Amino acid sequence: MKILRVKDYREMSRTAANIISAQVILKPECVLGLATGSSPEGTYRQLVEWYGKGDLDFSRVTTVNLDEYKGLTADHEQSYARFMHRHLFDHVNVDPARTFLPDGSEPDSERACADYDAVIERVGGVDLQLLGLGRNGHIGFNEPDSAFAPRTHCVRLTASTIEANRRFFERAEDVPREAYTMGIGTILRAKKILVVVSGEDKAEALRAVCRGPVTPSMPGSILQFHPDVTIVADEAALSRL
Ligand code: GLP
């Protein structure tokens, strides 16, 4: 794992956006694996800015997102589909027909997950996967578990994740309890992985992910076994390393 130490969230975002830009420039028809959450927001903001200056072209890029809440339609204000439109898709020239997320409105989990695995296979796998890190070490929505999930699956969100996402919903009971997420196996098949981590509240998870044992109870720890992982983390997030 390569760890790039940066000063703060702003520098983390610029560094990550630089790495994604390099990918898009070197392989304009690449497949980007994208993430949601507050960690990558600044990265998207920076990409949008550089696109606006004419430095980037997303017209041949395909995107596959990590996860989506089960039970939210794509146009729900808090769906990850809306998040992606708000922060990136609506501001760059990516072809909407080539942006993919799991279908949260599909009530049949098996179908939703099989369909999404088929999409990932059809696009030929992920060139660069962007990841945030949950406070409990989750990646995508792969929560701490007794085994690593190979493929897209439906997860019950843990109390800690529901609590962390509470701020986006009006009432606690509005936070979805389940989500569809790419499996750890799929994440590991990405050619390159880029992790953005910021803030003191991630410091313990980041320490465990980088230095702890590889275990499904700390899902991000599996990244130690991937040959090409870059972690861009700020000083607060690295404070326990
Ligand atoms: C959510 C997402 C993850 C994300 C995590 C951390 O649970 N499913 O992909 O990494 O939150 O979010 P944040 O970046 O807001 O701390």
Side-chain angles (χ1 to χ4, degrees):
M1 292 172 139
K2 182 183 293 170
I3 300 178
L4 301 181
R5 172 185 284 265
V6 295
K7 197 163 82 268
D8 52 18
Y9 183 86
R10 204 181 121 79
E11 202 182 324
M12 176 193 79
S13 303
R14 286 177 66 87
T15 305
N18 261 307
I19 294 170
I20 296 170
S21 299
Q23 173 69 63
V24 173
I25 291 165
L26 289 168
K27 187 178 177 188
E29 72 290 3
C30 66
V31 177
L32 297 179
L34 298 179
T36 53
S38 45
S39 307
E41 267 182 39
T43 305
Y44 296 144
R45 214 176 302 128
Q46 186 63 75
L47 289 172
V48 168
E49 192 184 317
W50 287 335
Y51 168 76
K53 287 184 176 156
D55 288 345
L56 277 171
D57 175 14
F58 291 90
S59 62
R60 291 159 68 194
V61 167
T62 297
T63 69
V64 285
N65 261 78
L66 282 169
D67 46 15
E68 178 60 281
Y69 289 118
K70 179 178 176 180
L72 299 193
T73 52
D75 60 357
H76 186 285
E77 203 35 44
Q78 293 307 331
S79 74
Y80 284 167
R82 281 290 313 138
F83 175 102
M84 289 312 303
H85 278 277
R86 214 166 33 240
H87 293 285
L88 185 68
F89 299 160
D90 289 351
H91 312 289
V92 299
N93 65 340
V94 66
D95 177 354
R98 274 207 295 268
T99 62
F100 300 97
L101 289 97
D103 180 3
S105 70
E106 171 57 70
D108 179 342
S109 299
E110 261 178 51
R111 174 181 296 175
C113 296
D115 285 355
Y116 201 55
D117 281 334
V119 165
I120 297 165
E121 206 168 310
R122 200 174 69 233
V123 303
V126 174
D127 290 295
L128 175 64
Q129 177 68 55
L130 176 62
L131 294 177
L133 188 64
R135 291 179 203 170
N136 59 3
H138 75 232
I139 49 177
F141 264 137
N142 289 276
E143 296 280 33
D145 203 346
S146 52
F148 290 113
R151 300 179 145 262
T152 304
H153 56 293
C154 180
V155 284
R156 284 233 118 231
L157 302 179
T158 62
S160 128
T161 301
I162 292 169
E163 173 52 31
N165 292 339
R166 164 74 182 89
R167 64 191 194 277
F168 299 113
F169 293 83
E170 221 166 276
R171 298 169 310 170
E173 55 269 39
D174 295 337
V175 187
R177 271 26 187 186
E178 291 182 305
Y180 297 135
T181 182
M182 254 186 216
I184 294 284
T186 308
I187 293 173
L188 284 185
R189 279 192 294 280
K191 293 193 186 97
K192 287 173 187 287
I193 296 180
L194 171 62
V195 194
V196 282
V197 198
S198 168
E200 168 69 39
D201 60 333
K202 301 290 175 69
E204 183 45 37
L206 185 59
R207 188 204 58 76
V209 160
C210 297
R211 300 284 183 257
V214 174
T215 162
S217 62
M218 183 53 64
S221 64
I222 192 76
L223 298 174
Q224 291 178 32
F225 287 168
H226 190 281
D228 193 344
V229 175
T230 303
I231 297 175
V232 186
D234 65 13
E235 280 165 11
L238 285 168
S239 57
R240 307 246 168 101
L241 262 177

